[in-house]
Amino acid sequence: MTSQLPHGAATDIGRARRTNEDAYVADPPLFAVADGMGGHLAGDVAAATAVKVLSREVRDAGDALVAAVKAANQAVHRQAKSDPKLSGMGTTMTAMLAGPTSIQIVHVGDSRAYLLRDGNLRRLTRDHTVADRLAREGKIRAEEADRHPQRSVLERAIGVYPDVSVDVEVVDVRPGDRIVLCTDGLTSMLTDPEILDVLLAESDPETASRRLCDEAVRAGGSDNVTAVVVDYPREGARGEATAVSLPEAGGDGSRPPNPAPLPSRTAAASGTAGVPRRRRAPVRALVALLLLAAVGAAGLLLGRLALSNSWYVGASDGRVAVFRGVPGSVAGFRFASVTERTDIAVSTLPTVYQRRLEEGITAGSRAQAGEIVEGIRDLRLQEAGPPSPASPTPSPGYAP
Ligand code: MG
């Protein structure tokens, strides 16, 4: 029965990344998402290896999902050790084995599983991130965790150490339930109520998974995004569940806007109404100049604002530093300056974290930037020694 579960899966590179380092499995009864990290091709390799080994292990060993995820961890770890180019790579993994009346979920990292039942969306996993831990410890409010600068700094990942501790959950399911597995490219762009809206609007799981990705890209698409949707159909409603697809609202922006019709523009430019055009030309040129000047002034103003009101933590001369401004550059211009260079050497941090610093970790205020620096200091201390055998899952910070 579970081999016939209606399901859909979609992934999108998003708007900001050059590669898609997410991977997924949608092969009933096994479903999984993995979000690779490690820069260049390494994250790609980690996620792909993890889902490949997971699939093979489940096929060979049946329902031993925990063992399969741990085998995936070992495979990624071995691969990272054997090739310097892959050093420091890892991946999240949220895997589900779907049974007739229950599902088993095995989870590491900040991808998520959700259960939609009776119109309510319930999260089945907790994020293994610094921000989530701070929320559980009462140091920040729960609703702050999703916006916290360390929301994507992982405390656990597949492939980082030879062994990994995993969360296991078994959930009873009933007809009408829908399960969603997704990477943080979805949850960092859409709120839970927005995800719920899409799931309620799209009865077909394939359409639902595609639209979740599309909405995340439309909302900014700052990360790769992957969504897997699995339905437990109501009695006698299987055909309906797979066949019904709500009509898309026309002009809702789901498709890129049509480019301006080139032929008509060309026609206007080569129009033969010579006299009126000649008269209007200087006016148009003046308007264009004024517009350009206004855009330039607005750009300068925005740049100054960005510089004065924004903060981030990055790397400067090999040290962790606090910057005022925004990371990166626009048209070759940088809008940032160093306000404090700390005594933390970037080289003492986990490789993946070093790459995160190169990108810049944005903060809401100078004080928050200071908190991030202190968090980084802790990571360095925890990284100082090899992982103790007594605690197979130390908590270094890794950011995908
Ligand atoms: Mg991600």
PDB file of all heavy atoms in Angstrom, residues 263-276:
ATOM      1  N   PRO A 263       9.469  43.877 -30.911  1.00  0.00           N
ATOM      2  CA  PRO A 263       9.156  44.424 -32.239  1.00  0.00           C
ATOM      3  C   PRO A 263       8.470  45.787 -32.164  1.00  0.00           C
ATOM      4  O   PRO A 263       8.840  46.710 -32.874  1.00  0.00           O
ATOM      5  CB  PRO A 263       8.221  43.373 -32.835  1.00  0.00           C
ATOM      6  CG  PRO A 263       8.573  42.111 -32.109  1.00  0.00           C
ATOM      7  CD  PRO A 263       8.965  42.537 -30.736  1.00  0.00           C
ATOM      8  N   SER A 264       7.513  45.940 -31.258  1.00  0.00           N
ATOM      9  CA  SER A 264       6.784  47.207 -31.224  1.00  0.00           C
ATOM     10  C   SER A 264       7.692  48.343 -30.764  1.00  0.00           C
ATOM     11  O   SER A 264       7.577  49.463 -31.214  1.00  0.00           O
ATOM     12  CB  SER A 264       5.561  47.099 -30.323  1.00  0.00           C
ATOM     13  OG  SER A 264       5.977  46.856 -29.005  1.00  0.00           O
ATOM     14  N   ARG A 265       8.642  48.004 -29.822  1.00  0.00           N
ATOM     15  CA  ARG A 265       9.573  49.049 -29.399  1.00  0.00           C
ATOM     16  C   ARG A 265      10.434  49.489 -30.570  1.00  0.00           C
ATOM     17  O   ARG A 265      10.691  50.657 -30.768  1.00  0.00           O
ATOM     18  CB  ARG A 265      10.461  48.537 -28.267  1.00  0.00           C
ATOM     19  CG  ARG A 265       9.827  48.774 -26.914  1.00  0.00           C
ATOM     20  CD  ARG A 265      10.589  48.083 -25.834  1.00  0.00           C
ATOM     21  NE  ARG A 265      11.963  48.538 -25.761  1.00  0.00           N
ATOM     22  CZ  ARG A 265      12.882  47.910 -25.036  1.00  0.00           C
ATOM     23  NH1 ARG A 265      12.576  46.818 -24.377  1.00  0.00           N
ATOM     24  NH2 ARG A 265      14.100  48.363 -24.981  1.00  0.00           N
ATOM     25  N   THR A 266      10.888  48.498 -31.345  1.00  0.00           N
ATOM     26  CA  THR A 266      11.718  48.825 -32.500  1.00  0.00           C
ATOM     27  C   THR A 266      10.919  49.684 -33.469  1.00  0.00           C
ATOM     28  O   THR A 266      11.419  50.671 -34.006  1.00  0.00           O
ATOM     29  CB  THR A 266      12.160  47.530 -33.213  1.00  0.00           C
ATOM     30  OG1 THR A 266      12.578  46.627 -32.212  1.00  0.00           O
ATOM     31  CG2 THR A 266      13.283  47.800 -34.168  1.00  0.00           C
ATOM     32  N   ALA A 267       9.651  49.299 -33.656  1.00  0.00           N
ATOM     33  CA  ALA A 267       8.808  50.037 -34.587  1.00  0.00           C
ATOM     34  C   ALA A 267       8.666  51.486 -34.133  1.00  0.00           C
ATOM     35  O   ALA A 267       8.774  52.404 -34.936  1.00  0.00           O
ATOM     36  CB  ALA A 267       7.437  49.374 -34.680  1.00  0.00           C
ATOM     37  N   ALA A 268       8.479  51.678 -32.836  1.00  0.00           N
ATOM     38  CA  ALA A 268       8.309  53.047 -32.331  1.00  0.00           C
ATOM     39  C   ALA A 268       9.584  53.850 -32.548  1.00  0.00           C
ATOM     40  O   ALA A 268       9.539  55.004 -32.948  1.00  0.00           O
ATOM     41  CB  ALA A 268       7.953  53.010 -30.850  1.00  0.00           C
ATOM     42  N   ALA A 269      10.726  53.196 -32.314  1.00  0.00           N
ATOM     43  CA  ALA A 269      11.985  53.918 -32.427  1.00  0.00           C
ATOM     44  C   ALA A 269      12.272  54.318 -33.871  1.00  0.00           C
ATOM     45  O   ALA A 269      12.910  55.322 -34.116  1.00  0.00           O
ATOM     46  CB  ALA A 269      13.120  53.049 -31.894  1.00  0.00           C
ATOM     47  N   SER A 270      11.796  53.457 -34.801  1.00  0.00           N
ATOM     48  CA  SER A 270      12.082  53.789 -36.195  1.00  0.00           C
ATOM     49  C   SER A 270      10.866  54.415 -36.867  1.00  0.00           C
ATOM     50  O   SER A 270      10.731  54.372 -38.074  1.00  0.00           O
ATOM     51  CB  SER A 270      12.498  52.507 -36.939  1.00  0.00           C
ATOM     52  OG  SER A 270      11.422  51.596 -36.896  1.00  0.00           O
ATOM     53  N   GLY A 271       9.984  54.959 -36.057  1.00  0.00           N
ATOM     54  CA  GLY A 271       8.794  55.574 -36.597  1.00  0.00           C
ATOM     55  C   GLY A 271       9.153  56.737 -37.532  1.00  0.00           C
ATOM     56  O   GLY A 271      10.232  57.324 -37.423  1.00  0.00           O
ATOM     57  N   THR A 272       8.234  57.055 -38.420  1.00  0.00           N
ATOM     58  CA  THR A 272       8.559  58.086 -39.401  1.00  0.00           C
ATOM     59  C   THR A 272       7.994  59.447 -39.005  1.00  0.00           C
ATOM     60  O   THR A 272       8.100  60.389 -39.758  1.00  0.00           O
ATOM     61  CB  THR A 272       7.999  57.683 -40.775  1.00  0.00           C
ATOM     62  OG1 THR A 272       6.625  57.350 -40.604  1.00  0.00           O
ATOM     63  CG2 THR A 272       8.767  56.513 -41.356  1.00  0.00           C
ATOM     64  N   ALA A 273       7.355  59.529 -37.837  1.00  0.00           N
ATOM     65  CA  ALA A 273       6.796  60.820 -37.423  1.00  0.00           C
ATOM     66  C   ALA A 273       7.926  61.723 -36.957  1.00  0.00           C
ATOM     67  O   ALA A 273       8.104  61.982 -35.786  1.00  0.00           O
ATOM     68  CB  ALA A 273       5.762  60.627 -36.319  1.00  0.00           C
ATOM     69  N   GLY A 274       8.726  62.185 -37.953  1.00  0.00           N
ATOM     70  CA  GLY A 274       9.968  62.884 -37.667  1.00  0.00           C
ATOM     71  C   GLY A 274       9.815  64.137 -36.843  1.00  0.00           C
ATOM     72  O   GLY A 274      10.499  64.318 -35.860  1.00  0.00           O
ATOM     73  N   VAL A 275       8.889  65.017 -37.213  1.00  0.00           N
ATOM     74  CA  VAL A 275       8.820  66.321 -36.553  1.00  0.00           C
ATOM     75  C   VAL A 275       8.466  66.211 -35.061  1.00  0.00           C
ATOM     76  O   VAL A 275       9.209  66.723 -34.229  1.00  0.00           O
ATOM     77  CB  VAL A 275       7.824  67.237 -37.302  1.00  0.00           C
ATOM     78  CG1 VAL A 275       7.681  68.556 -36.552  1.00  0.00           C
ATOM     79  CG2 VAL A 275       8.325  67.469 -38.728  1.00  0.00           C
ATOM     80  N   PRO A 276       7.378  65.511 -34.733  1.00  0.00           N
ATOM     81  CA  PRO A 276       7.052  65.418 -33.309  1.00  0.00           C
ATOM     82  C   PRO A 276       8.192  64.788 -32.514  1.00  0.00           C
ATOM     83  O   PRO A 276       8.496  65.228 -31.419  1.00  0.00           O
ATOM     84  CB  PRO A 276       5.810  64.518 -33.282  1.00  0.00           C
ATOM     85  CG  PRO A 276       5.257  64.576 -34.660  1.00  0.00           C
ATOM     86  CD  PRO A 276       6.402  64.815 -35.559  1.00  0.00           C
TER      87      PRO A 276
END
